[in-house]
Amino acid sequence: MRERIVTAFNEAIYDTDRVRALEVIRRALADGVTPEEVVFQVIIPGIELMMTSAEEGFEVNLAQHFMAAQIAAEVTDQMIPRFRRRPEIAGRVVIGTAWGDFHGLGKRIVIGCLKSHMIEVTDLGLNVFPERFVETALAADAEVIGISSMMVHTARGESGCLGVRRLLRERGLEGRIKIIVGGAPYRYDDKLYEAVQADAWALNGVAACGVVAGLIREVHS
């Protein structure tokens, strides 16, 4: 039965059919599948399958990424309060778009993927000052700051990742908080993340989960 549920869920995701995907989850619960199984045996494998498909060159478009991430976040948020025991949080991330940038779609995809992997997310929204990134990360006890940029000038600007790095360095927090960046400029130049002094970058929202998990491990190693 589990294989049938996973197949039906993945087909709905690839068809970008939110209603059908949520109906698959509803029926699974009615058939006795536990909330824990929904998250760990349906949602997370669905996200990982999309990541594998993208890496292997299969056609996976932005709408499919977005749909998968939104449903992952929605279902995970619904299932966690129903767990027999509240799951252990894998880590904490503060995320937002760089100062001067108002493009939030990629960020929303990342958030959905992270939540499904039990990573707690604080979403600062759009147009975020470096100081707010750092202060919120400290308040939330976050290991990672995620900065999204859709334009080259916001990626390279002093009020983007460079500004966050400067503050972390001045406050002696570079070993305590890591920075991941993402967005169109980084896809066109895979060395740009080094130029803006980030610790890492991710090609897309799905791939960001693995990169963030690695940064969290670095902080605690």
Side-chain angles (χ1 to χ4, degrees), residues 47 65 69 106 109-114 187 202-210:
I47 291 288
H65 273 158
I109 293 173
V110 173
I111 289 171
C113 297
L114 292 175
R187 290 196 294 272
L203 179 63
N204 53 54
V206 179
C209 290

Side-chain angles (χ1 to χ4, degrees), residues 4-50:
R4 174 177 57 80
I5 293 168
V6 171
T7 298
F9 179 78
N10 289 341
E11 287 176 351
I13 292 296
Y14 276 87
D15 290 340
T16 64
D17 190 334
R18 175 181 177 276
V19 172
R20 178 152 56 95
L22 293 177
E23 178 61 17
V24 170
I25 299 302
R26 188 195 67 78
R27 289 182 180 175
L29 292 168
D31 288 340
V33 177
T34 68
E36 291 90 340
E37 289 170 331
V38 166
V39 172
F40 294 111
Q41 296 183 25
V42 180
I43 299 299
I44 290 179
I47 291 288
E48 290 175 345
L49 178 62
M50 181 162 291

